[in-house]
Amino acid sequence: MKYPLKLHVNQRTYNLEVYPSQNLRDVLREELGLTGTKEGCSTGNCGACTVIMNGMSVKSCLILALQADGKEILTVEGLSTNGQLHPLQESFIDKQAVQCGYCTPGMLMSAKALLDQNPNPTEEEVRDGLHGNICRCTGYVKIVEAVLDAAEKIGQ
Amino acid sequence: MNMFYYEPKTFQEACDLLNKYQDDAKLIAGGQSLMILLRQKVVVPEHLINLKNIKEGAYIKEEGGELKIGALTTHRQIEKSPLVREKLPAFAEVFSGIGSVQVRNWGTIGGNLAHSDPAGDLAPILMVLGARVRVISKSNSNEMPLESFITGYLETKLRASEMLQEIIIPLSKAKSGMAYEKESVRAGDMAMASAAAFIEIGSKGITRAKVVVGAVGEMPIRLENLEKELQGQGSKGELHIDPKFDQSIIRMDPYVSKEYKYEISKVKLRNVIQTAFERAKQA
C-alpha cells in the first residue's frame, strides 16, 4: 500500500505516493530523478547518499522516505544558486579533490552540513565531519584541503 | 506482501498499535540498523510503526540524582548535551567514535539498545554505569537493569507488545571514573572487541568496580571475578590488573581470529580499568 509523502527538496515541494519500505535515496533518485545522490553500499557505511535534512546530514539510504515527510531536504543539485557554484564546489575543483567523483556529492553535503554549523573548523574537525564518507581514490588529503579552503572563502 | 505504515504521536498510541499487531509489527526509530535488514528482507513486517514523531520520547533530564534519557533521543543530542557533558563527561566523549555524524544525527539510543547488537558501543558503557531501562506496553510500565534486559545476540527481554521508553543512569556520589575503548577495522566502525570500566574509590582504594567486555561474545558480558579482584586495590598507587576471562564466550569474526580477539580484549580491559581509576582519582 502506498502512502502520501510531501517532500521539500531544494526549495521545491513534491507531493508523492510511496511504499513504506522505500528509502529516501530511492525516492530522490527514482521518483524525482535527482540522481546526484549516489548509491554506494546501501548499508550506511560509505556516505555517498548523504543529504541534508532540516539542517542535519543524514544517510538517505538509512531513512524511510516517509520519515522525511514535511522535511526540508537539500541534495547536491541544490548546492549551486542561479548557475553559480557553491564555494565548496569551487574549492573541490581548485584543489583537485575529485578523482572518479562518485563520493563527491556525499562529501559535499557532509562538508556543507559541517560548515553550516561550524564555519571555521580545524583540520581535525573537518576529518571528523567527513568521517562517514568513504573515498577510494584520493586518500582524503585534497578533500580536507578543499573544505578548509572553502571555509576560508565563505568567511571572507 | 502488503506493508502497512503508522506514525504514532505518543508512546500510548505506539503501544496500542503494538498490542493490536503483536509479532506482525516492527518498530522503527532511527532505523540505522533496521533499514539494512528491511532492505535485505531479513525483516519483512506487515505493520511498520515509525516512532520518530513521538516528540515526548526525546529528552535528557536530571531527576533524583539520576540522568533520564528518552528512548528516542538521538546519539547526537546526547553527544552535544551540556547536561551529559557536565554530569557524565566520559559518556559524552564516547559518541564521537560511534558511527559517523550522519548516523548519530538520526540514530537513537533506544533503537541501539533494543537492536542489541553485541558490537554496539552503548550497552557495555551503560552496563558499567548501572543503567536501567523502562519497558512499557499498553497497560504496563516496568523498570529493569539493562544487564538483564539484554539476553543475547540481537535479543532482549522485550515481548511483542512491549517497547523501550527511557534509559535511566544513576549518577554516582562517590569519587568515580568511567572509561570505554574499542578496537575496530576503521575508526567509528562496529567494535570487534571493546571494554568498559566504572570505578569508585574511597580512602582505602577501590570500593566498587564494574567491568564489561563487549563485542567478543553473543552480548556484552560482566566480568565479576575481575571486579572482585579490583576491590580494595589502589590505596597505595598501582593496580594489579589480570584481565583474563572465559575464552569460550568469544564468537567467530570475519576479520580476526578468536585468539586475537582475546588478546586485544585484555589490552582494552587493562586500559579502561587504568583510565577509569585515574579519572576517579581526579574526580
Side-chain angles (χ1 to χ4, degrees):
Chain A
M1 186 175 162
K2 284 189 169 184
Y3 291 83
L5 168 67
K6 182 181 266 192
L7 271 189
H8 307 289
V9 185
N10 303 333
Q11 300 184 336
R12 266 187 68 184
T13 299
Y14 300 86
N15 286 297
L16 306 161
E17 288 212 324
V18 304
Y19 290 106
S21 57
Q22 278 181 283
N23 66 40
L24 177 60
R25 182 204 60 208
D26 288 350
V27 168
L28 291 171
R29 288 178 57 85
E30 289 162 23
E31 311 282 336
L32 305 185
L34 296 170
T35 53
T37 301
K38 300 301 180 202
E39 171 172 9
C41 65
S42 280
T43 53
N45 290 298
C46 78
C49 67
T50 302
V51 300
I52 298 178
M53 183 165 83
N54 281 11
M56 294 183 299
S57 61
V58 291
K59 295 187 174 177
S60 61
C61 77
L62 291 189
I63 290 195
L64 287 182
L66 288 167
Q67 286 183 322
D69 187 43
K71 303 239 177 352
E72 300 280 344
I73 313 283
L74 184 72
T75 71
V76 72
E77 289 90 345
L79 264 189
S80 61
T81 39
N82 305 321
Q84 182 73 38
L85 289 181
H86 187 277
L88 272 166
Q89 292 170 307
E90 284 176 350
S91 293
F92 267 62
I93 295 168
D94 293 346
K95 297 287 174 187
Q96 301 187 0
V98 178
Q99 282 187 34
C100 88
Y102 201 80
C103 73
T104 310
M107 287 285 177
L108 287 167
M109 300 320 285
S110 279
K112 169 84 163 61
L114 171 72
L115 295 187
D116 285 349
Q117 280 161 23
N118 181 0
N120 289 304
T122 62
E123 184 183 329
E124 203 187 321
E125 285 167 336
V126 172
R127 287 185 177 274
D128 180 56
L130 299 180
H131 182 96
N133 296 75
I134 294 177
C135 170
R136 297 287 80 160
C137 313
T138 69
Y140 305 101
V141 173
K142 291 186 178 299
I143 295 173
V144 173
E145 278 177 16
V147 177
L148 289 167
D149 182 63
E152 207 168 294
K153 269 190 223 153
I154 295 168
Q156 277 163 11
Chain B
M1 191 177 74
N2 237 338
M3 192 187 288
F4 298 94
Y5 175 81
Y6 310 85
E7 288 181 344
K9 300 278 189 293
T10 61
F11 279 117
Q12 191 61 53
E13 281 177 39
C15 286
D16 288 346
L17 288 163
L18 270 183
N19 190 60
K20 193 167 169 192
Y21 299 118
Q22 301 277 332
D23 275 330
D24 295 330
K26 197 81 198 161
L27 300 176
I28 184 164
Q32 302 299 292
S33 302
L34 188 62
M35 285 298 287
I36 302 164
L37 301 179
L38 281 172
R39 181 184 164 80
Q40 295 170 343
K41 301 208 168 15
V42 175
V43 175
V44 189
E46 195 177 344
H47 303 278
L48 189 60
I49 304 171
N50 168 26
L51 303 176
K52 273 283 183 179
N53 292 352
I54 301 181
K55 298 280 179 281
E56 64 183 8
Y59 57 85
I60 303 166
K61 62 186 179 190
E62 190 189 357
E63 224 173 61
E66 300 184 309
L67 209 58
K68 298 187 171 177
I69 303 179
L72 290 156
T73 312
T74 64
H75 295 97
R76 194 69 165 165
Q77 286 168 329
I78 302 171
E79 178 184 1
K80 296 284 180 193
S81 158
L83 186 60
V84 177
R85 284 174 176 223
E86 186 202 325
K87 300 292 174 186
L88 290 172
F91 181 48
E93 223 174 68
V94 162
F95 285 86
S96 64
I98 298 180
S100 56
V101 177
Q102 297 100 310
V103 168
R104 301 202 293 279
N105 273 336
W106 199 242
T108 66
I109 183 170
N112 180 299
L113 295 176
H115 183 59
S116 191
D117 191 314
D121 297 288
L122 295 182
I125 298 162
L126 290 167
M127 273 167 66
V128 297
L129 289 172
R132 307 187 306 281
V133 292
R134 176 159 291 280
V135 170
I136 55 169
S137 63
K138 186 177 160 68
S139 47
N140 273 311
S141 174
N142 288 312
E143 257 184 37
M144 66 180 83
L146 177 63
E147 210 178 315
S148 53
F149 173 79
I150 298 169
T151 55
Y153 187 88
L154 306 185
E155 282 176 9
T156 68
K157 280 237 171 75
L158 284 177
R159 283 177 290 212
S161 60
E162 293 178 328
M163 64 183 290
L164 261 186
Q165 184 182 42
E166 186 175 73
I167 291 86
I168 305 140
I169 310 170
L171 296 168
S172 170
K173 289 184 192 74
K175 273 168 81 82
S176 64
M178 191 277 282
Y180 172 75
E181 282 191 19
K182 71 170 162 181
E183 184 70 13
S184 50
V185 174
R186 215 175 141 259
D189 280 358
M190 298 297 270
M192 62 174 80
S194 67
F198 173 79
I199 282 173
E200 285 184 353
I201 54 170
S203 54
K204 288 176 185 158
I206 295 176
T207 52
R208 203 157 72 100
K210 282 187 127 186
V211 182
V212 166
V213 61
V216 295
E218 298 284 309
M219 56 183 183
I221 291 162
R222 257 190 77 190
L223 303 178
E224 291 180 43
N225 286 339
L226 183 53
E227 293 175 0
K228 280 194 202 105
E229 283 171 27
L230 290 167
Q231 196 88 12
Q233 283 199 47
S235 57
K236 295 193 181 66
E238 294 222 336
L239 295 182
H240 171 73
I241 308 166
D242 182 16
K244 59 179 183 297
F245 61 92
D246 177 8
Q247 292 183 57
S248 69
I249 66 161
I250 301 175
R251 72 195 155 87
M252 296 284 284
D253 187 292
Y255 298 109
V256 292
S257 67
K258 287 185 178 183
E259 290 75 19
Y260 178 81
K261 284 178 88 160
Y262 184 54
E263 292 305 320
I264 198 78
S265 297
K266 289 197 290 186
V267 172
K268 296 293 167 193
L269 282 163
R270 191 165 291 154
N271 290 352
V272 294
I273 291 166
Q274 195 63 49
T275 308
F277 179 63
E278 299 302 328
R279 285 177 175 167
K281 283 199 288 189
Q282 283 157 21

